[in-house]
Each structure stands twice: as structure tokens, then as C-alpha cells.
């Protein structure tokens, strides 16, 4: 697993190595083709699309089982609607793509391609919510969003058309209910990333980097193999900001009216990049079985004169696996060697490979290989399904543990901005600096460390290693900083 | 079933009655909210979204099992790309929404919001296809498309943002393969609409009304209760038109290069309108069980003093149904009468209602009501699941037969354009006029009948009732005409 960032290799080298690996894997594992003739836009290819679907299925299951309902809104948002919430439009107006013409005619009102949908939901919530009995209302949709990015674009990580965006929007009767929902959303995302075996830090973003229009924002971040940090999910408490802008009120039991309290939370196609980055190695992707489009591939190892025997044993093994409900494939392509097939499926991250050669046939067994360690085991054919299932469970557990251990080593408490800067230069990851709580000190840290503040920990009790390195006052908490995508 | 158009009622009356019913049902059955603040755009609400999903699931199953693979393309198509196929751009340029700005900056190249995706697939097919071994390539996606409609918009039927569009795009090595694929696509759509119990006519569209850029177009049409015809699916043979425009070639086994042959086929959110229109009645929707988000609702009929007995028997019935894998709901809302609940679920088209009152409890039975006929049957509790399943199968069959019989009565062979016009005026539906095969005669028929040519039958042997009414020559086939949506 040469891919993983190690001390002693320069940040530039990790960065270019990971970057190259990532671009190659998107193509070679058939995930996304980024050669579409519009900058920042790519095409989900069949295998990538299946992976995307299996990941979204987990998210849908989590949301559906916690009282969320799926809806589907238009893409187009009129300019005046987008501008209703003052902070929001300030944050997004320079990032919007604008539709100005229908055919050759100029439109009366410019239409934005949604950069996110708070302002599309606004007018509908106003229509749908009448009384306290309508609350809470918890909706979500899976859509494409558009950002006119001026920074360098990167497939799945920073795109102009984000083809995969799950956004939830909720309304509540009280501030407490909204706050409780923020906590629930955080729990949902934890369970989601746990299913993907992707490790995360949960931080409350600083005041100066919260979602445009929110009261506060909580974010999930992961560390990539190149030491840079990628935001992979966000949860926002919107308070009554949008409710006031869109006049979303409800009638209380006592007959008076009150604005609703809102939250929203989103994840994007970045989760696929996260899975790739968390587990991939020099052979290609490594996919947790739950989301692997193909969980097990059967590869016959033919031997001159015994082709038929090997073929029929392989078929039998395949039928067993498929019959047990596993997503299995029999790779009987005649024009490829077993070695080429191994390479092909390793690239795609198929968790388990079952090899069947003459010796296996003779001993009524199969050779089972797990993708992460490439460890080989021989198992009796009659126990094949059970063994594969067991191995998939073990692989899942190991992926999760390994990825978490790797990340934890890269979150480092430091005392000074100089030390912080040096660590981020050389090793990447996340540093935690003691912080007095003053925004000016936080901004000064960003400047001195030459990094971005992720925020204060929401996942662990902060333990400041000393006083605030900027003002010298007692630290109330810590600030996480990192170089980010 | 007062909704269904009948002879003797004026076309205007049917039309307004169906129109009003349709708009009310979209709202009252929680399908789509059309009050979104952009003309021609609506929001899929939770129940409608579930119905949409179950319908798309059938389509995906049909496509996946016939060698199609799902992908996902960007929405944005550069102007120069859209313009590559000359006929295509002529057909679509006035219908496109154009993105001209990113933030406040004008874009270098205008971007169209896809009206359909032939020209988005074009450049990627060119990259993906190298040799005959790559063919056939059969891809599809489920996306939103955009049409700057100048005609009156109508929810699901004619929208500016069509939120539900399944489009398949295929490439083949020979003209024969492409032709065979057109036939397969027609078979797929037949099976699809058969699952929805929606009756259809299959017609080859006339030369002057084929898809912009196609060699020929085949369409599925249905007759709505107001006598107007709605196109619900299309299959196009593109020949080598787009392949030449986009230089999509492949290497043949003999080493020479040849342009690919292409087809494409689509269905839209109109299929939901089609299901509503085909089966609905004055009580609301009637949904075939396969696509009903809720297949059976259990309604307790409480009786003073026996509330607890009725409640627990209802719960037991619900558990039985749910345990058997049916999409069941127990409606135990305390603040509604049974009558209000009946009304509520009938609106939403739930196929089967199970009522449980004191008499049912006493006799260890349930009263089962089917949505289409509102017929009541008493069945022993222990046979409940089997009876519900049987009734669902019967209801499905009856819906299909009834809808087909209704449509068949409304396809009428006629001899003269005057007769044709009068029938369409008074009764709507479809008329079949003898046709010599000359396009000018066809266009003249459109003018004289004041209707639109659907084309020549692809589903039955045409039987002209006489000579061509325009030129008097012998008829080679018939032309179908109708007033259309």
C-alpha cells in the first residue's frame, strides 16, 4: 500500500502521487469520465454509477427510517427568490450559473441553476406548512447542483456541475427541536460513513466559514492520502433566518403564529472520492462489500486438458454464490489470462476473488483471496458461501479499523503556529492549536499556519495543549487547521 | 366512473372536466405541486415521488435485463456541440434555455440546458468506441430535461423543466443491428406500459413530424378521458446522422473504419399522467398494485365499548399483510372517521382496503374492498393475505382489460376528412383515414381534419376503408389523426 502518505516523503510528492493515482483510477475502474467538453463536468460511467447507487441506497435507508421523505424540486431558481435571504445571496451570487434566454428571447427574470436548494424549498414550505401539526417536516432530495467554481476543478471533488448531491431540508416548531434534529443528522452521517468505513473528524466550522445564511455549521472532514483534508458532509442550523426571509410560519396550539426553525444537511459525490481515498492502494480501489457493485468474482485457472473440469467447477461455485444473494460474477472471458483478470478486478476493488484451478477441483475446494491484504485461503467448496461471507465481514472491519488508525495518527495537538505550519508542510493531516475563542486569533492562526481552520471539535472533548498561541490567554478549546481541498 | 368521456357530451365539457379532475388529483393525491414560482416547473411531492420511483423501477428492470447500462451525464451542452447535427439544432434551438453567465461574467461559450442528450452522448461515444468489440453499446440515464415551451404548459404533460426523463442511447455495428434494437425497444415499452395497464397505439410518425435528426420515429400514444391523445413514449432510429456529425466510428474485423448506427428512445413523467388518466375515476386515482406506493390500507371501524377489540384485530391484520411483504398501512388516526379515511385513501388510489369492525372481529373475518369497483367481500382472517393477493391480481387484469376496451372503441376507421373532423369534434379519440402514402396528401388531411397526424400503424395491419380522400388514388395504408396534447 505504497499509496498511503508517509513521513519523510515531501508533501509535493504525496500530492502528485495521490493525484495521479486518483485520476487513473477514475478511468481504469470505470467510475467517471472527465473528458466531457464542459470544464468541471464529468460523466458517471456504468460501474461508477452502480457504486454511487449502492452508496445512495444506504443514505436513503437511513433517512427514510428516521422520518424523512424524498421529493424532487426544479433546478431553476428565480433571481428574486435566491436573493431573499441576504447572507445567502452574498455567499452564492458569484458562484451561480445564470440562465438568461429561452430560445433567442431574453427571460423576464434571470434564473439561477441551483447552487443548493434552501431558496427553492422556501416558497413551498410557506405553502405547505399551516399549523404545528404539519411539523416537523423533514424532506430530502438527490439532485445535481451547479457552482461556477473559479478554483481548479477536480473530478468528484470540486466540479461545476455536481451530479450527485443529497440535500435534506427540515422545519421545526421550536429552536430545541431544530437543535435536536441537527444532532440526529450528525448521528445519521456518522452511521453513513461508518458503513462506508470512512473515518471522519466532526468540527463546528468557525463563524467566518459557516454556510451562507446559517446560524452555525457542523462539518465532517477526512484526511486524504496526500495529507490534505476534504469536507465530506455538512449539517447546518439555519435558525429562523430563511423562515423570516420566506415568511414560513405556523399556527401554534394557542392560535398565535411563529416562524419555523430550520436545518439542512448535505453530502455530495465526494463520498465516492472519500471511499476511494480511504481504502485504495497501488492495485486500485478497495471497496467495502456493502457498496461493491461486484462483491465476488470467480476466476477459473484453466490447465491444459482440464479446461472443461475447471470451467464446470467454476460455474458451480458461481451459481452457489449468486444463489446465496451475493453480487457475483464469473469471469470466463476466453481471451484473457488469469493474471489479466486479477489485475482487472483488483482495479475495480472487488472485495473477494475466488480462484478455481485443477488442484482446487481435485480437492473439492476453492482458493479465496481478499482484496485488501491479497491473503489467500483454501476453503472446501461446500463451505464457500459461508467463508466468503465471513471474509467480507472481516475485511469490512479491518478496512474500518485501518482507516481510522491511519487518520488518528494524523491529528496532532501542537502548541505553536510555527510547529503547526511545519507539520502541515511536511506531513499534512490536521493540527489542533489551543484557542482562546476570539475570532481574530483564529484568523491570525490561519495566516500564520498558512492553512484553513476546520473549526472546533464536535466529536471529542477538546484538550488544549497550552495557552492561545496568538494572544497568550488561556485556551477555552482547540482549533483544527489543515490544508484542504 | 363519470370521468370517462362519453358520446353526447361536448368535447369542451369533457375537456374541462378532465382538466379540472387532473389538476385536483395532482394536489389531493399528493403527486405534484405546480405552484413553484417558475412557469412550467413543479415539485414531486412524497407520495408522487414514491409512485414515480416504482414506475421507474420497472423501466430499469426491463432495461438492465436487456443489456442496457445506466450512466449519468451533465446537464450542460455547449452551443457548438448542440449545433453539430444540422437537423437537430434546427429542431431544438428555439426550445433551449441558455446559460450565458457564470457569476457576473459572460461565458466564452453559451451552454444549453439539455433538451435531450444525443449531442451530450456524441463526443463521449466518440471516445468510448474503438472497435467492433465495443458494440453494441446500450446506455441510458434518468434525468431532468428542459424545453422553453411557448405552448400552454401543464403539470407532467408539458413542462419547461421535465423532472423525469428516461433516455436510452445505443450504438451498433450495422444498420440491421440498429433496426433490431428499435424493435427490441418497442417490445420493452410494450411490456412497460402493459405493467402499468396503460393501453397504447404504436404509430410510425410521418416524415414531417419525426424527431429532429432521426431517420424515422415510432411513438406510443394513449387516448385521455377528454378524447385528446397524449404521446407517452418514442423510439427513434438515428441511422448514421449523429455518428457522422460527431465522428463516431469503429474498427471492423477487417481493419477498415465505419460510422456506427444509432438509436434512442425515451419516456417522461407523462407516464404518471398516463396512469392517472387511464384508470382514475370520480373518487380519485386507481393504481395498479405493482406501482401503488401503498397496496393495502387497514381501516378499523370502531364501535363504542369495543374500541380495543377492533384496534387489536386491525393491528393483527396489518401485521399479517406487512409480514407477507405487501406495502401496507394501518390507518389508526384517532381524529378521523372511517368515512374520511376511505375518502383519503381512495383519492390516492390504494388498490385494496381492509375494514375491520366489531362484526368482523366476532366472525374472525375482514371486509375487503377493491378500489376500482368498490366491491366488498368478506374473507376469513386466516385467508386474508391470499385473498388480498388474489384480488390485486384480478384488479390488475380488470384495469388492463377495461382500459384497452375503452381505447379500442375510440379508434375509428373513417372514409372522409369531413367524417374524421366531425368525430374528433364530438367524440375525440383517433380516426384512421385511408392514405396513398404521399406526404402532401397527409399534410392536407391535417388541414382539413384540423388535427394532427400520429402516423401509420406499427401495431396492426392497416386496413384502409377506401381510397385516399385527398387525391382519390388507391390507399396503401392508413393515417391516424387526433387532437393531441
Amino acid at each position: 500500500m505504497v499509496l498511503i502518505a508517509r513521513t519523510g516523503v515531501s508533501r509535493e510528492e504525496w500530492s502528485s502521487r495521490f493525484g495521479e493515482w486518483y485520476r487513473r483510477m477514475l478511468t481504469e475502474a470505470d467510475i467517471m469520465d472527465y473528458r466531457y467538453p464542459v470544464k468541471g463536468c464529468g460523466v458517471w460511467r456504468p460501474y461508477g454509477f452502480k457504486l454511487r447507487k449502492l452508496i445512495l441506497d444506504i443514505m436513503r435507508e437511513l433517512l427514510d427510517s428516521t422520518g424523512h421523505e424524498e421529493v424532487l424540486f426544479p433546478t431553476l431558481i428565480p433571481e428574486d427568490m435566491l436573493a431573499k435571504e441576504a447572507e445567502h445571496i452574498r455567499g452564492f451570487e458569484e458562484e451561480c450559473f445564470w440562465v438568461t434566454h429561452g430560445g433567442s428571447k431574453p427571460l423576464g427574470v434571470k434564473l439561477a441553476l441551483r447552487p443548493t436548494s434552501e431558496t427553492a424549498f422556501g416558497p413551498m414550505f410557506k405553502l405547505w406548512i399551516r399549523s404545528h401539526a404539519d411539523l416537523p417536516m423533514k424532506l430530502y432530495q438527490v439532485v445535481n447542483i451547479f457552482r461556477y467554481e473559479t478554483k481548479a476543478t477536480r473530478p468528484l471533488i470540486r466540479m461545476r456541475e455536481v451530479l450527485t448531491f443529497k440535500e435534506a431540508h427540515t422545519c421545526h416548531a421550536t429552536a430545541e427541536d431544530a437543535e435536536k434534529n441537527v444532532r440526529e443528522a450528525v448521528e445519521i452521517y456518522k452511521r453513513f460513513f461508518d458503513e462506508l468505513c470512512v473515518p471522519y473528524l466532526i468540527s463546528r466550522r468557525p463563524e467566518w466559514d459557516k454556510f451562507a445564511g446559517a446560524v452555525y455549521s457542523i462539518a465532517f472532514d477526512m484526511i486524504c492520502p496526500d495529507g490534505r483534508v476534504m469536507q465530506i458532509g455538512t449539517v447546518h442550523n439555519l435558525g429562523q433566518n430563511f423562515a423570516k426571509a420566506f415568511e414560513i410560519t405556523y399556527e401554534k396550539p394557542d392560535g398565535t403564529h411563529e416562524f419555523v426553525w430550520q436545518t439542512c444537511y448535505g453530502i455530495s459525490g465526494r463520498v465516492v472520492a472519500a471511499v476511494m481515498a480511504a481504502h485504495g492502494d497501488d492495485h486500485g480501489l478497495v471497496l467495502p462489500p456493502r457498496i461493491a457493485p461486484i462483491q465476488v468474482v470467480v476466476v477459473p485457472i484453466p490447465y491444459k486438458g482440464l479446461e472443461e473440469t475447471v470451467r464446470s467447477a467454476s460455474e458451480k461455485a458461481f451459481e452457489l454464490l449468486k444463489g446465496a444473494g451475493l453480487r457475483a460474477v464469473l469471469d470466463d472471458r476466453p481471451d484473457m489470462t488469469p493474471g489479466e483478470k486479477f489485475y482487472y478486478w483488483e482495479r475495480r476493488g472487488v472485495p473477494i476473488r475466488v480462484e478455481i484451478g485443477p488442484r482446487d477441483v481435485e480437492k473439492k475446494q476453492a482458493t479465496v483471496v481478499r482484496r485488501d491484504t491479497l491473503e489467500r485461503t483454501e476453503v472446501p467448496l461446500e463451505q464457500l458461501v459461508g467463508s466468503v461471507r465471513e471474509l467480507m465481514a472481516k475485511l469490512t472491519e479491518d478496512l474500518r479499523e485501518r482507516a481510522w488508525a491511519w487518520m488518528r495518527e494524523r491529528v496532532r495537538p501542537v502548541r505553536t503556529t510555527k510547529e503547526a505550519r511545519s507539520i502541515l508542510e511536511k506531513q499534512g493531516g490536521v493540527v489542533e492549536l489551543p484557542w482562546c475563542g476570539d475570532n481574530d486569533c483564529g484568523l491570525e492562526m490561519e495566516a500564520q499556519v498558512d492553512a484553513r481552520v476546520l473549526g472546533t471539535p464536535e466529536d471529542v472533548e477538546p484538550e488544549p495543549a497550552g495557552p492561545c498561541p496568538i494572544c497568550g490567554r488561556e485556551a477555552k478549546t482547540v482549533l483544527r487547521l489543515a490544508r484542504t481541498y
Side-chain angles (χ1 to χ4, degrees), chain A:
Chain A
M1 274 164 285
V2 188
L3 178 72
I4 283 172
R6 280 176 312 198
T7 316
V9 181
S10 78
R11 219 167 58 84
E12 285 65 34
E13 195 180 327
W14 306 337
S15 200
S16 80
R17 177 180 283 173
F18 175 63
E20 195 206 319
W21 176 91
Y22 180 67
R23 273 186 302 274
R24 277 185 55 200
M25 287 312 132
L26 284 173
T27 306
E28 293 182 16
D30 192 30
I31 305 294
M32 172 169 279
D33 196 321
Y34 201 57
R35 293 172 293 174
Y36 188 78
V38 176
K39 183 181 151 69
C41 295
V43 179
W44 282 97
R45 299 210 56 191
Y47 190 75
F49 189 88
K50 287 190 189 89
L51 173 59
R52 171 186 183 273
K53 184 186 177 300
L54 287 161
I55 290 175
L56 287 173
D57 281 351
I58 298 177
M59 181 47 82
R60 286 186 159 111
E61 212 178 292
L62 287 168
L63 291 172
D64 292 347
S65 66
T66 47
H68 298 75
E69 292 192 294
E70 191 166 358
V71 295
L72 190 54
F73 269 68
T75 310
L76 304 169
I77 304 179
E79 187 178 21
D80 50 339
M81 209 58 66
L82 192 76
K84 269 190 191 286
E85 210 288 324
E87 288 296 324
H88 191 70
I89 183 68
R90 251 198 297 284
F92 283 106
E93 65 189 336
E94 275 306 311
E95 276 195 19
C96 280
F97 280 100
W98 291 102
V99 180
T100 58
H101 286 73
S104 47
K105 292 191 201 69
L107 299 176
V109 179
K110 281 201 300 184
L111 301 171
L113 302 186
R114 63 176 157 233
T116 172
S117 301
E118 287 70 23
T119 59
F121 277 72
M124 303 314 286
F125 276 142
K126 180 182 160 72
L127 293 168
W128 294 338
I129 294 168
R130 290 269 157 272
S131 94
H132 61 97
D134 298 320
L135 298 174
M137 187 175 282
K138 296 157 71 173
L139 304 177
Y140 75 98
Q141 63 176 358
V142 179
V143 294
N144 49 352
I145 55 168
F146 300 80
R147 305 266 170 106
Y148 183 67
E149 293 286 353
T150 45
K151 291 190 211 173
T153 57
R154 200 180 288 265
L156 295 180
I157 294 176
R158 175 168 286 110
M159 298 183 72
R160 287 193 169 176
E161 178 168 355
V162 177
L163 278 174
T164 311
F165 188 59
K166 185 287 299 168
E167 49 178 337
H169 298 273
T170 71
C171 296
H172 306 268
T174 63
E176 294 68 42
D177 266 13
E179 181 61 31
K180 225 178 81 192
N181 199 67
V182 164
R183 295 301 135 195
E184 184 191 73
V186 168
E187 284 309 311
I188 288 171
Y189 282 7
K190 280 166 74 169
R191 281 157 63 194
F192 175 66
F193 288 114
D194 287 344
E195 287 290 341
L196 307 184
C197 307
V198 167
Y200 45 80
L201 292 169
I202 312 175
S203 307
R204 180 181 291 233
R205 288 278 184 263
E207 268 302 303
W208 62 90
D209 196 25
K210 62 188 190 187
F211 177 74
V215 174
Y216 67 84
S217 294
I218 291 174
F220 285 66
D221 297 299
M222 79 169 293
I223 305 176
C224 288
D226 61 358
R228 282 167 81 181
V229 161
M230 177 163 74
Q231 173 177 303
I232 50 177
T234 49
V235 181
H236 311 290
N237 190 329
L238 303 177
Q240 293 180 311
N241 293 348
F242 287 84
K244 284 177 180 164
F246 287 91
E247 300 172 307
I248 312 167
T249 61
Y250 72 100
E251 188 177 311
K252 296 212 253 188
D254 67 9
T256 61
H257 286 77
E258 156 94 290
F259 291 110
V260 300
W261 302 78
Q262 294 182 282
T263 81
C264 63
Y265 26 112
I267 56 128
S268 78
R270 279 190 172 190
V271 298
V272 175
V275 168
M276 291 172 67
H279 312 306
D281 64 23
D282 280 355
H283 293 247
L285 304 194
V286 180
L287 295 177
R290 168 119 193 232
I291 57 169
I294 296 163
Q295 295 172 315
V296 45
V297 57
V298 179
V299 181
I301 317 291
Y303 189 81
K304 207 156 168 95
L306 291 171
E307 289 90 351
E308 186 49 33
T309 322
V310 166
R311 200 195 53 75
S312 90
S314 301
E315 236 164 59
K316 210 175 130 194
F318 165 67
E319 292 300 339
L320 275 174
L321 295 162
K322 204 179 153 72
L326 294 167
R327 293 189 288 273
V329 155
L330 170 63
D331 189 352
D332 53 4
R333 288 177 287 182
D335 50 345
M336 281 172 82
T337 66
E340 287 168 341
K341 291 177 184 178
F342 296 172
Y343 180 86
Y344 181 92
W345 295 109
E346 283 172 7
R347 275 284 181 268
R348 281 160 180 72
V350 174
I352 307 289
R353 177 170 80 227
V354 173
E355 303 173 13
I356 301 208
R359 215 177 68 94
D360 296 305
V361 175
E362 195 186 312
K363 296 173 73 177
K364 292 199 163 77
Q365 65 172 33
T367 302
V368 178
V369 187
R370 53 188 278 187
R371 171 64 186 85
D372 56 340
T373 58
L374 300 178
E375 219 174 307
R376 306 166 67 83
T377 330
E378 296 173 351
V379 304
L381 259 187
E382 59 194 14
Q383 292 167 25
L384 181 62
V385 169
S387 301
V388 167
R389 276 199 208 287
E390 238 169 71
L391 215 53
M392 293 204 310
K394 185 78 177 71
L395 181 147
T396 303
E397 221 173 279
D398 290 351
L399 283 187
R400 191 179 294 128
E401 265 178 35
R402 221 179 286 131
W404 272 96
W406 186 88
M407 187 194 76
R408 283 203 186 98
E409 281 170 24
R410 281 156 186 80
V411 181
R412 298 177 177 92
V414 288
R415 286 169 166 270
T416 66
T417 55
K418 197 176 155 200
E419 192 188 353
R421 183 173 185 140
S422 155
I423 285 180
L424 293 188
E425 286 285 356
K426 292 195 197 118
Q427 305 171 48
V430 173
V431 291
E432 296 185 337
L433 273 169
W435 184 41
C436 63
D438 193 283
N439 285 344
D440 286 339
C441 288
L443 286 162
E444 183 56 28
M445 278 185 213
E446 283 196 335
Q448 290 188 12
V449 180
D450 187 21
R452 189 154 172 186
V453 164
L454 303 179
T456 51
E458 282 280 324
D459 38 8
V460 292
E461 263 325 301
E463 289 178 25
C468 177
I470 306 297
C471 66
R473 283 177 295 184
E474 194 188 343
K476 290 196 185 118
T477 180
V478 301
L479 267 192
R480 290 172 169 162
L481 288 97
R483 264 87 189 243
T484 61
Y485 269 104

